[in-house]
Amino acid sequence: MSGVVAIKSNDSVVQKLFYSLSSIQHRGQDSAGINISDGSHLYRVKAMGLVNEVFNDNNLKYHDGKIGIGHVRSAPEGCNRDYNVEPLLSFVKDNELSIAHDGNLINYYGLKSKEENNGMVFHTQTDSELILFLIARYFEGDIVKAVRRAMEDIKGAYSCVLCMPDKIVGFRDYNGIRPLMIGFDDENVVIASENAAIEILDIDNYRDVKAGEIVVVDKDGIKSYPMDEKASYKSCIFEYVYTARPDANIENTNAYMFRRRSGELLYDQAPVEADLVCPVPDSGTPSAIGFSQRSGIPFAAGLVKNRYMGRTFIKSNQKERELAVRLKLNPQKSVIDGKRIVLVDDSIVRGTTSEKLIERIRKAGAKEVHLRVTSPPFINPCYYGVDTPDKDKLIAAKMSIDDIRKKIGADSLEFLSLENILKLTNNPDNYCTACFTGSYPVVKEKI
Ligand code: 5GP
Ligand code: SF4
Ligand code: MG
């Protein structure tokens, strides 16, 4: 999973890229990078770490320009290495070109080995390099033509930004799987994964880049090259459940309202008698508010979150994951003791979070713990950029709901039904739900 930003401005973009990237830090915490154009050449600063660890006054002061792109990345297991840090920069027939990508290509390995058999040497383990390579291959002076041609070869999820010395470019796959927005005011044009990265620059005027659309921003302004006839929307529904910030407005649906209504629907679907509704913060909070308002059961912050621990799911082994849950979330005995608790979380993936939490909520004195999950059982891996484990590690793929309930030690367990989650979208046909249904919009090739 990643976050991308591109900015063209009348002033320096260095600080702006820093602010925008900071506001989408939740999309990737392993590395951060920027490429900036001084009008003739591209310069870069990138490293492993969080945005505020990678950039400082010292390494930014040598670079200035009015055009630039940035990236935050969360690396899949085994790929968290410095040579994979984006943006990636290349020379293309005497032009400098850099790319930042969010998503995942499903035909990466096939295309890559074909090129390798022809002698091509790749320098990273990322499919972003393959996209850059293909654009370079097809570039004859017209970046739109080159991108369009590369889009014929690549399959899967890609929301990308490019930087050239005189322009930024954004493009999104034909299914619009991962989000990408464009916003502008009199001074700036910003392309970014989420509107937070645009709004932080005080720009309120933004829209989604359309599925299959290419946008180019240069001295002449914004040009759009849509390809509506090829577009077939399958936007990631999990963005609203978990991935995006609650203030994200993707395809005209607000993530906070989606989550709050998911809590309301979950109460209607699976009511329970209890004393308190407690969220698993932060991603479960809007849904817990919805559940509480609908049920009339008071909302309480029964778990205290350590804000400095990052996202627990990404840890590379089970012991680390369990420890991370403990370090990150602590039950409040004063709230929980003697109470019947409804615990609301957005998803169960491996089952680590819920099992460890319920154990500790009981230790803090809870009389009953009822877990309500605001998405359907997660039974299939995602091939489009959300770093999920293999199917054999997905607890709901291996066990019945009642067996999961017993394993995690809940008094009752309910998942929001597929039918109900689809009611939260403006058109159920326009969303990818593959992790819940197995219905993949673009099919992974056998390798
Ligand atoms: P589990 O502990 O069951 O493996 O994971 C579920 C928890 O991880 C939930 O609390 C949810 O908020 C979070 N989660 C779900 N999907 C993702 C993801 O793709 N990345 C990260 N970092 N966390 C996730
Ligand atoms: Fe999103 Fe799930 Fe589809 Fe992946 S499989 S793109 S997480 S809905
Ligand atoms: Mg969580």
Side-chain angles (χ1 to χ4, degrees):
M1 216 169 70
S2 300
V4 300
V5 182
I7 306 179
K8 180 171 182 313
S9 176
N10 292 344
D11 327 307
S12 164
V13 292
V14 179
Q15 285 295 333
K16 292 177 184 183
L17 283 169
F18 178 80
Y19 295 140
S20 290
L21 279 183
S22 302
S23 67
I24 50 167
Q25 180 77 82
H26 62 286
R27 297 188 74 86
Q29 294 104 44
D30 289 328
S31 67
I34 55 174
N35 275 197
I36 291 173
S37 161
D38 68 358
S40 314
H41 297 285
L42 302 186
Y43 297 90
R44 65 184 182 187
V45 180
K46 58 178 192 171
M48 315 271 281
L50 298 169
V51 172
N52 64 7
E53 293 166 345
V54 169
F55 305 112
N56 54 54
D57 290 345
N58 217 16
N59 61 19
L60 290 180
K61 77 179 174 203
Y62 301 108
H63 308 298
D64 209 353
K66 296 178 179 175
I67 289 176
I69 65 171
H71 191 256
V72 285
R73 173 170 191 260
S74 115
E77 232 173 296
C79 295
N80 195 9
R81 310 216 165 91
D82 61 351
Y83 49 73
N84 294 325
V85 175
E86 296 188 36
L88 305 177
L89 171 58
S90 261
F91 295 92
V92 180
K93 297 164 189 152
D94 289 336
N95 292 275
E96 289 170 31
L97 174 66
S98 69
I99 188 167
H101 163 218
D102 176 29
N104 189 49
L105 301 186
I106 55 164
N107 60 347
Y108 167 56
Y109 290 103
L111 289 178
K112 180 173 163 257
S113 58
K114 211 168 95 193
E115 298 303 337
E116 282 174 333
N117 291 340
N118 288 329
M120 169 71 188
V121 176
F122 287 92
H123 298 92
T124 74
Q125 296 169 301
T126 73
D127 50 0
S128 319
E129 185 180 7
L130 182 75
I131 304 176
L132 183 62
F133 166 75
L134 289 171
I135 293 171
R137 164 178 288 163
Y138 299 125
F139 184 74
E140 301 287 351
D142 182 339
I143 191 67
V144 175
K145 275 193 185 150
V147 170
R148 192 58 84 203
R149 179 62 190 84
M151 285 170 77
E152 286 175 25
D153 293 354
I154 56 180
K155 289 195 171 54
Y158 50 89
S159 282
C160 296
V161 292
L162 304 176
C163 189
M164 295 178 83
D166 62 341
K167 59 174 78 70
I168 52 172
V169 179
F171 57 98
R172 194 171 174 209
D173 63 76
Y174 292 110
N175 296 116
I177 296 178
R178 305 254 73 86
L180 194 67
M181 332 277 299
I182 179 165
F184 61 90
D185 63 11
D186 294 342
E187 302 281 306
N188 312 284
V189 182
V190 185
I191 306 168
S193 299
E194 289 184 34
N195 43 291
I198 300 173
E199 289 170 313
I200 198 156
L201 303 177
D202 221 7
I203 301 170
D204 304 321
N205 190 9
Y206 60 83
R207 66 164 176 93
D208 297 281
V209 172
K210 292 197 275 181
E213 183 182 2
I214 304 171
V215 286
V216 177
V217 186
D218 61 14
K219 63 176 181 4
D220 300 324
I222 305 173
K223 281 192 223 81
S224 158
Y225 301 85
M227 187 58 95
D228 294 343
E229 60 281 16
K230 275 199 171 181
S232 156
Y233 276 93
K234 291 288 173 192
S235 303
C236 171
I237 202 166
F238 202 62
E239 288 278 346
Y240 305 104
V241 174
Y242 171 81
T243 315
R245 283 170 51 136
D247 55 0
N249 294 311
I250 304 167
E251 306 299 345
N252 300 317
T253 298
N254 171 251
Y256 177 84
M257 294 312 289
F258 184 104
R259 289 171 197 174
R260 220 181 75 182
R261 286 189 56 216
S262 72
E264 293 170 9
L265 284 182
L266 190 50
Y267 176 73
D268 292 345
Q269 182 194 310
V272 58
E273 277 190 27
D275 303 310
L276 294 175
V277 178
C278 298
V280 180
D282 289 320
S283 45
T285 303
S287 313
I289 293 171
F291 196 99
S292 162
Q293 283 180 346
R294 186 66 151 208
S295 62
I297 304 169
F299 175 94
L303 296 165
V304 176
K305 181 175 168 174
N306 178 344
R307 304 206 168 274
Y308 305 99
M309 283 302 299
R311 287 188 160 184
T312 40
F313 176 92
I314 304 168
K315 306 292 175 220
S316 52
N317 66 52
Q318 190 58 20
K319 267 222 140 56
E320 266 186 41
R321 259 180 235 114
E322 289 175 12
L323 178 67
V325 174
R326 209 173 71 223
L327 295 175
K328 189 162 136 181
L329 294 164
N330 197 32
Q332 284 255 53
K333 194 171 166 58
S334 60
V335 174
I336 286 171
D337 201 9
K339 300 289 196 309
R340 296 169 301 169
I341 305 289
V342 184
L343 188 65
V344 181
D345 202 357
D346 60 277
S347 56
I348 294 184
V349 182
R350 291 182 175 83
T352 319
T353 308
S354 28
E355 183 174 352
K356 290 291 134 196
L357 273 182
I358 291 173
E359 189 185 303
R360 299 183 61 235
I361 290 171
R362 286 203 192 280
K363 230 171 132 186
K367 258 199 333 221
E368 293 171 15
V369 186
H370 301 274
L371 182 61
R372 293 292 178 271
V373 181
T374 56
S375 57
F378 203 114
I379 51 174
N380 301 286
C382 174
Y383 301 128
Y384 310 126
V386 173
D387 183 27
T388 44
D390 291 342
K391 197 164 170 125
D392 64 332
K393 304 244 168 37
L394 296 170
I395 191 168
K398 300 183 293 190
M399 287 188 185
S400 69
I401 294 182
D402 198 50
D403 286 342
I404 302 175
R405 181 191 66 73
K406 287 186 198 134
K407 170 128 186 18
I408 64 178
D411 292 284
S412 72
L413 166 66
E414 296 280 349
F415 292 84
L416 188 66
S417 67
L418 182 68
E419 191 193 340
N420 273 335
I421 201 171
L422 288 173
K423 283 187 194 156
L424 302 170
T425 64
N426 35 30
N427 179 351
D429 293 338
N430 288 356
Y431 290 87
C432 174
T433 56
C435 45
F436 308 134
T437 59
S439 169
Y440 290 95
V442 264
V443 181
K444 193 170 160 56
E445 62 183 28
K446 298 244 176 322
I447 46 161

